[in-house]
Amino acid sequence: MDKGNIYATASGIVKINTKDRSISVIPVTNTPPHIQVGDIVIGQVTDVKDSVALVEIAGIKGKGEREIVNADQAAIHVSNVKDAYVKELYYEFAPFDIVKARVIDLRNMRLTTVDKELGVMKAYCGNCRAVLKIDNGKLKCPKCERTETRKISSDYGTGIV
Ligand code: ZN
């Protein structure tokens, strides 16, 4: 207790029992999530270089929006973008893109977006920053009509992770 407020020592779901006037906290899990090889992660592209796109990881699929213990920065190498030759990484990712990717290497924090459900989930217009929409299989800005290319996920724009 602190200044009349009650704080729990563990995070979880608060349960109030009105009969015996008690409050308990049911822990969600004992340990925070750790990234493992094979996990699907969601993150934001922070930088695109010649051979790698840098991604700030925001969450692990199926493990909620909780803070991740063992990683924050990851990279998608040009060879792990898609099942085809990538000429320019700048055609596949751009800063601020939200991506869904699978963890393939923990030591160097490498991700892959080769599968069709993996890739960019949300992208912003490089000209006016509006969210790009899919129009006849291409990404198009609804505001300024600019078209852009990305390695998009089959779930692009659905909000489904
Ligand atoms: Zn635009």
Side-chain angles (χ1 to χ4, degrees):
M1 261 184 76
D2 180 38
K3 298 185 182 84
N5 294 316
I6 301 164
Y7 295 93
T9 54
S11 62
I13 298 153
V14 175
K15 201 166 189 185
I16 300 166
N17 188 330
T18 48
K19 266 188 188 164
D20 64 4
R21 293 165 53 88
S22 70
I23 296 173
S24 55
V25 174
I26 300 155
V28 178
T29 63
N30 296 324
T31 51
H34 277 69
I35 289 181
Q36 292 172 336
V37 169
D39 278 349
I40 304 289
V41 294
I42 300 296
Q44 185 165 41
V45 175
T46 55
D47 198 6
V48 182
K49 297 173 188 293
D50 287 341
S51 61
V52 289
L54 301 181
V55 177
E56 193 177 290
I57 295 174
I60 308 171
K61 185 181 177 179
K63 294 183 186 173
E65 295 288 308
R66 303 205 295 140
E67 202 179 322
I68 300 152
V69 180
N70 60 334
D72 48 359
Q73 279 276 349
I76 305 168
H77 188 258
V78 67
S79 62
N80 299 126
V81 173
K82 60 185 183 184
D83 209 4
Y85 176 67
V86 174
K87 194 177 167 211
E88 290 276 2
L89 200 50
Y90 306 97
Y91 293 151
E92 315 296 338
F93 300 110
F96 307 107
D97 286 354
I98 304 299
V99 294
K100 174 163 69 169
R102 182 183 292 111
V103 178
I104 51 171
D105 177 1
L106 274 184
R107 208 165 49 136
N108 302 308
M109 275 319 289
R110 294 287 184 178
L111 309 176
T112 177
T113 56
V114 168
D115 294 351
K116 74 172 172 59
E117 75 271 19
L118 302 175
V120 176
M121 299 290 288
K122 190 178 185 181
Y124 299 89
C125 175
N127 184 39
C128 74
R129 295 275 148 230
V131 175
L132 300 173
K133 304 262 182 228
I134 293 182
D135 184 23
N136 282 325
K138 285 185 170 177
L139 285 174
K140 195 171 179 184
C141 178
K143 269 192 178 173
C144 71
E145 309 234 305
R146 174 189 167 107
T147 57
E148 296 195 19
T149 64
R150 295 288 198 283
K151 195 298 178 182
I152 56 169
S153 159
S154 54
D155 298 324
Y156 184 94
T158 60
I160 298 165
V161 173

